[in-house]
Amino acid sequence: MTTLTGSADTDLLLLVLGCGFLGLFVGSFLNVVIHRVPAGESVVKPRSRCPGCGREIAWYDNIPVVSWLVLRAKCRNCGEPISARYPLVELGTGILFALTAWWTGASWVLPAFLYLAAIAVALSAIDLDTKRLPDAIVLPSYGVALVLLAGAAWADGTWDLLLRAVLASAALFAFYFVLIFIYPAGMGFGDVKLSGVLGLYLGWVGWASVIVGAFAAFVLGAVVGIVVMLVSENGRKTKVPFGPFMFLGTAVGLVVGPAIADWYLGAAGL
């Protein structure tokens, strides 16, 4: 999306660094979401505690990435090991936020895509852990995404993009619904509900992104699924969550979807 000239490079760098820094703290919150939402617990109260000694974690021991390094991956009070997953989620969210800002540039649509990056991290981790995509995150995302995209459409006067986003959301939802109706064992209904959210973002960019993004999800899921089944002791009975591949496919569709579509049409002589 981003095209820059002159001093705009400096502005973009500051934006990218700022969003990356913000992403570190969002990632810290996502660690709470990943742990508590599947259990049906509040993400607000109580404050985070050490699972070993039960003591509340002080603010200075909850600084993204830094605290984990300073504490050498152990609780300050009882020495309980702290999983490397916590800083990885924080760092991964920071990098994803930075890349998102670099891709969109200083745009009114940036908040919408930062939200997509955040739920991508949370839902992918939860799906890998529990093989579920919680309604508590997926369903409100329709409203959040629509409000943020509508705000961008209002600010930029791009109501046509919002209309296309809504139509793409309905189309992708219908496509997934038909798939699960034909082959219920192939995916869960959580994947169907998530497809509508992803359709909003893909549709905002264009129909080529919708098609490439949907296709890429199944290709990536099939390739990784085959590898996992070959190396797993359970063989073909191994269950591979599809949610992370839906997000990966969406990333492909958003970033290079139009270019892939143009290449394919050119190669086909269309």
Side-chain angles (χ1 to χ4, degrees), residues 169-247:
S169 174
L172 201 57
F173 184 94
F175 173 67
Y176 270 77
F177 187 83
V178 170
L179 287 181
I180 198 173
F181 181 77
I182 295 173
Y183 184 53
M187 65 180 68
F189 199 68
D191 300 322
V192 178
K193 287 179 278 190
L194 176 61
S195 67
V197 176
L198 301 183
L200 286 169
Y201 289 95
L202 290 165
W204 178 272
V205 176
W207 287 109
S209 292
V210 177
I211 296 171
V212 172
F215 183 71
F218 287 98
V219 171
L220 293 169
V223 171
V224 175
I226 291 172
V227 173
V228 171
M229 286 188 290
L230 289 175
V231 301
S232 174
E233 294 180 355
N234 294 326
R236 297 180 65 179
K237 294 182 180 180
T238 304
K239 293 184 177 180
V240 180
F242 191 53
F245 299 106
M246 294 177 68
F247 283 111

Side-chain angles (χ1 to χ4, degrees), residues 113-136:
F113 281 92
L114 289 179
Y115 179 77
L116 174 62
I119 64 171
V121 173
L123 288 173
S124 293
I126 291 173
D127 203 12
L128 289 169
D129 283 345
T130 67
K131 307 297 187 296
R132 292 192 301 114
L133 294 168
D135 286 348

Side-chain angles (χ1 to χ4, degrees), residues 1 4 64 75 78 84 97 99 108 133 156 171 203 212 234-236 245:
M1 276 192 176
L4 298 169
C75 172
C78 68
F97 268 41
L99 290 173
W108 286 104
L133 294 168
D156 294 331
V212 172
N234 294 326
R236 297 180 65 179
F245 299 106

Side-chain angles (χ1 to χ4, degrees), residues 23-48:
L24 293 175
F25 288 90
V26 172
S28 182
F29 173 69
L30 293 182
N31 276 317
V32 177
V33 172
I34 292 166
H35 176 72
R36 296 187 183 183
V37 168
E41 301 174 357
S42 170
V43 298
V44 179
K45 296 181 179 180
R47 291 184 57 185
S48 298

